[in-house]
Amino acid sequence: MNEMKDFQITRRGFGFLAAGAAASAMLPLSARAAGGGAVAATFPGSWEDAYRTVLTPMVKDAGYDLTIAPAMAQDQLAKIMASPGNPPYDTLLMSPGQMAVAIEKDLIQKIDPSKLKNWGMLDPSFQGEYGPTVTIEVNGIAYNPDLVPKPKGYRDLFENPAFSGKVSWTGFASNTAVMAYTEIAKIFGSGPNDMDAVFKLFKDHPEHLKGVVDSTNHQMTLFQQGEIAVFMCSTGNVAHLKSLGLNAEFVHPETGSPAAPVNIHLTKGSANLDAAYAYMDAAISKAAQDQLKEPPTEMFPTNKDVALTPGIEAYVTRDQIKTMVYPDWVAINKNRDDWIRQFDALVAG
């Protein structure tokens, strides 16, 4: 899996989630004030719920307290950049785009694998020097079969009238969105970084701009309410919608499914190293991943002793993981701020 090694060093907003960011900022501060164990930044929503339910008691059994602090990856970055000498989190949960920025800004540190008894249970491609990969997010298209036909891929969303006005998008702060946009740029433009082609596409299809919201979580809510029928998603998003009894399906785009590993990183200046390692070790353990692979999260397990469920194998197998599309996050990070500004201006009209 050479590709896996490559993307470990290669990832990173529609300025958003201000209210959520403010709320989540309070958690690490209060935890620090209480002198507790590790404070682990975790994606909000199903990730937050799952990690709090599964990992907190495991870390407790290991002798440490664990505070799960929900924050989107870009918000995690913003907070530790604001106070690098006194980071609000002991660990971060990120994909390669944010990881590349964190390394560049000297905000995370290499780990000591000898402190992780489950380290050997990971495929070498999941053993990053800046922390273990806890799952791979495979991205594609979610759709409601009651409202729209099965999309063939990204091109179909813009060219098939059946999808007109029924697709929701988010801005370039979303990793899921930016991976889709780079794929769309390949289809309608000269390559993954030809975002002018994507902006022109939206100008030619203003009906899709009406479906632009601030986050995937917002799209999940709109999907549940029947206000949208299609959005860019991970398999985990669809698994969660299905667990709620919704008629949601996942489709791999005909041009390939973009994917991203999700890693736990140790912040530089962490004050609770032993607790942070206990949390990290719990997240890659068979006991934890055997639970996290089940609905409603259905996270792809990176521990090789954890068997895939039929539900996960319906989305992706271990062999298929190698064939997913892994974006060039160095190129994305280089252009992302400019893309964010252009998209925000486009949406604002």
Side-chain angles (χ1 to χ4, degrees):
M1 283 214 220
N2 292 331
E3 293 157 302
M4 305 291 282
K5 285 295 187 188
D6 291 341
F7 61 59
Q8 285 177 349
I9 55 171
T10 57
R11 199 179 207 241
R12 176 175 134 53
F14 215 30
F16 72 95
L17 291 179
S24 62
M26 297 303 293
L27 288 173
L29 291 174
S30 59
R32 291 247 180 271
V39 179
T42 310
F43 306 146
S46 58
W47 272 88
E48 171 191 352
D49 295 340
Y51 266 38
R52 181 174 289 121
T53 301
V54 174
L55 300 185
T56 299
M58 294 179 70
V59 175
K60 186 76 173 178
D61 288 346
Y64 304 98
D65 291 329
L66 176 67
T67 298
I68 298 295
M72 299 296 286
Q74 61 270 26
D75 294 326
Q76 298 175 33
L77 265 180
K79 288 170 188 166
I80 59 173
M81 288 174 70
S83 56
N86 184 29
Y89 308 114
D90 294 294
T91 64
L92 307 176
L93 190 67
M94 292 178 166
S95 296
Q98 285 84 14
M99 182 184 75
V101 176
I103 294 172
E104 179 186 353
K105 302 293 184 185
D106 198 25
L107 299 172
I108 57 177
Q109 57 184 306
K110 294 181 180 179
I111 67 164
D112 178 357
S114 70
K115 294 182 179 297
L116 301 173
K117 62 180 181 294
N118 292 300
W119 185 250
M121 296 297 101
L122 299 178
D123 182 278
S125 61
F126 300 139
Q127 296 175 333
E129 62 181 348
Y130 283 94
T133 298
V134 295
T135 192
I136 298 283
E137 283 200 347
V138 175
N139 286 256
I141 303 171
Y143 70 102
N144 183 339
D146 291 335
L147 300 177
V148 290
K150 179 181 179 179
K152 297 176 183 174
Y154 302 114
R155 179 185 292 277
D156 212 17
L157 301 180
F158 292 92
E159 297 185 346
N160 186 338
F163 300 106
S164 181
K166 297 178 180 176
V167 185
S168 176
W169 302 89
T170 61
F172 281 79
S174 162
N175 287 333
T176 296
V178 78
M179 286 193 283
Y181 292 143
T182 55
E183 290 300 292
I184 294 169
K186 291 181 188 175
I187 298 169
F188 291 94
S190 60
N193 301 316
D194 184 6
M195 221 48 70
D196 286 345
V198 176
F199 298 141
K200 181 180 183 306
L201 198 60
F202 277 108
K203 289 176 182 175
D204 293 342
H205 295 273
E207 70 276 10
H208 287 328
L209 285 173
K210 296 176 183 175
V212 175
V213 295
D214 57 8
S215 69
T216 303
N217 284 339
H218 192 171
Q219 291 174 314
M220 296 274 281
T221 300
L222 295 177
F223 192 93
Q224 293 174 54
Q225 297 170 345
E227 296 182 40
I228 62 172
V230 180
F231 69 102
M232 306 311 107
C233 71
S234 68
T235 58
N237 296 133
V238 174
H240 184 67
L241 290 169
K242 284 178 175 288
S243 74
L244 299 174
L246 293 164
N247 195 4
E249 296 295 339
F250 176 88
V251 61
H252 291 281
E254 59 189 349
T255 50
S257 294
V262 180
N263 309 294
I264 294 178
H265 301 299
L266 194 58
T267 56
K268 204 154 193 174
S270 164
N272 303 285
L273 284 175
D274 289 341
Y277 275 114
Y279 157 68
M280 198 177 289
D281 202 39
I284 60 174
S285 69
K286 183 176 186 302
Q289 296 202 358
D290 266 332
Q291 297 181 66
L292 296 169
K293 72 179 182 180
E294 299 292 343
T297 49
E298 293 196 51
M299 293 181 186
F300 188 93
T302 54
N303 185 312
K304 59 188 178 185
D305 282 359
V306 179
L308 302 189
T309 65
I312 292 177
E313 285 191 312
Y315 294 131
V316 60
T317 66
R318 290 197 185 277
D319 286 340
Q320 287 177 313
I321 283 290
K322 304 171 188 173
T323 66
M324 300 290 109
V325 178
Y326 294 101
D328 180 351
W329 288 101
V330 170
I332 290 172
N333 286 343
K334 182 180 178 181
N335 295 292
R336 198 165 188 170
D337 287 345
D338 181 54
W339 293 343
I340 289 171
R341 284 191 291 271
Q342 290 193 60
F343 190 75
D344 287 358
L346 181 64
V347 173

